Amino acid sequence: MDSEPTDLQALLRSLRVWDPAVTELPPFDLAEAPGDPLTLFTRWFAEAVAAGQREPHTVTLATADAEGLPDARVVMLHGADEDGWSFATHAGSRKGRQLAARPYAALVFHWPVLGRQVRVRGPVAVAPAEEARADLHARSTGALAAALTGRQSEELGSPEELARAGEAAWERAEREPQTPVPSWTLYRLRPDEVEFFQGDARRRHVRLVYRRDQAPQDGWHTGLLWP
């Protein structure tokens, strides 16, 4: 018997934003903001982990195709340092092809347990191949098996086809944990702009934005945005 249809509008209206039972909205003291966004990002990331945020390293990656049409998906952050925020995929995947055509992207981290978002955008560069190999082989057997399965974003004929390819890839990953995957690519987004959003219960949200100076020291200047 079919279940009753869901009233989407009623369901949406029943939901709360930043339910105090599960969310704490800490104050954002702008006087304590560091001079660079990486330091603040590292601090906020650690606070999200300590607060129990599930999978805080997942991030929405937005790209555009050759015609300029937007696309977005959730990926995993592989690192963040002075060279940029890092993520990885196959060069022939949809996002890999889009980055080849338009090497510019945006990232959005959402940590609702603290009512926080971090938005990062800027040009994207390909890391050296040896760094991509080291990144892949430092991950789990499942990650290597998925990379060996390959063909990401291609048309799939059936679930059985995926099951066969996945089983063979898993066996190879266990047998040859250092096997190379030439298409696996590590990307680095070097931000021009990073925004830190702290939610407020009375909707007086704080939005601190860092923008990169172009010359001469290539440092950062900060400003505030209306919520």
Side-chain angles (χ1 to χ4, degrees):
M1 181 176 178
D2 293 337
S3 60
E4 292 295 324
T6 299
D7 185 335
L8 178 60
Q9 296 305 316
L11 182 58
L12 287 171
R13 287 192 294 270
S14 73
L15 299 175
R16 295 190 63 180
V17 177
W18 301 324
D19 187 337
V22 295
T23 299
E24 177 185 357
L25 299 175
F28 187 5
D29 187 351
L30 294 170
E32 296 183 357
D36 69 279
L38 179 59
T39 299
L40 184 54
F41 176 83
T42 302
R43 181 191 305 169
W44 274 27
F45 186 87
E47 290 172 356
V49 173
Q53 177 64 57
R54 295 187 177 183
E55 300 185 355
H57 58 318
T58 56
V59 55
T60 299
L61 167 67
T63 56
D65 64 18
E67 287 73 41
L69 299 176
D71 206 348
R73 75 290 288 162
V74 176
V75 299
M76 186 174 71
L77 181 71
H78 286 221
D81 55 28
E82 291 76 11
D83 294 325
W85 273 249
S86 301
F87 57 92
T89 188
H90 289 282
S93 68
R94 178 179 294 177
K95 53 187 171 293
R97 297 193 305 270
Q98 290 172 350
L99 288 168
R102 290 175 175 263
Y104 199 93
L107 302 171
V108 181
F109 296 87
H110 182 213
W111 300 322
V113 71
L114 294 173
R116 286 175 170 174
Q117 298 180 49
V118 180
R119 302 171 62 202
V120 187
R121 64 176 183 171
V124 177
V126 174
E130 59 270 18
E131 294 184 23
R133 287 194 296 270
D135 172 79
L136 177 60
H137 293 136
R139 301 179 68 203
S140 66
T141 298
L144 177 57
L148 286 168
T149 302
R151 303 182 65 181
Q152 190 175 50
S153 302
E154 295 182 16
E155 293 287 339
L156 175 66
S158 69
E160 292 75 21
E161 183 181 359
L162 174 60
R164 290 191 298 270
E167 185 65 26
W170 193 281
E171 292 176 358
R172 186 180 179 190
E174 291 183 321
R175 186 175 64 252
E176 305 173 34
Q178 295 301 313
T179 188
V181 182
S183 64
W184 187 255
T185 305
L186 184 66
Y187 296 90
R188 289 200 177 97
L189 189 160
R190 185 173 185 269
D192 293 328
E193 181 176 298
V194 185
E195 179 192 327
F196 294 84
F197 173 102
Q198 174 61 67
D200 177 83
R202 301 189 69 177
R203 301 305 190 266
R204 294 180 293 206
H205 316 308
V206 180
R207 297 177 64 187
L208 174 66
V209 61
Y210 289 77
R211 294 188 177 94
R212 190 185 294 274
D213 295 326
Q214 299 303 312
Q217 290 82 22
D218 204 27
W220 296 92
H221 65 274
T222 59
L224 296 174
L225 301 176
W226 280 84

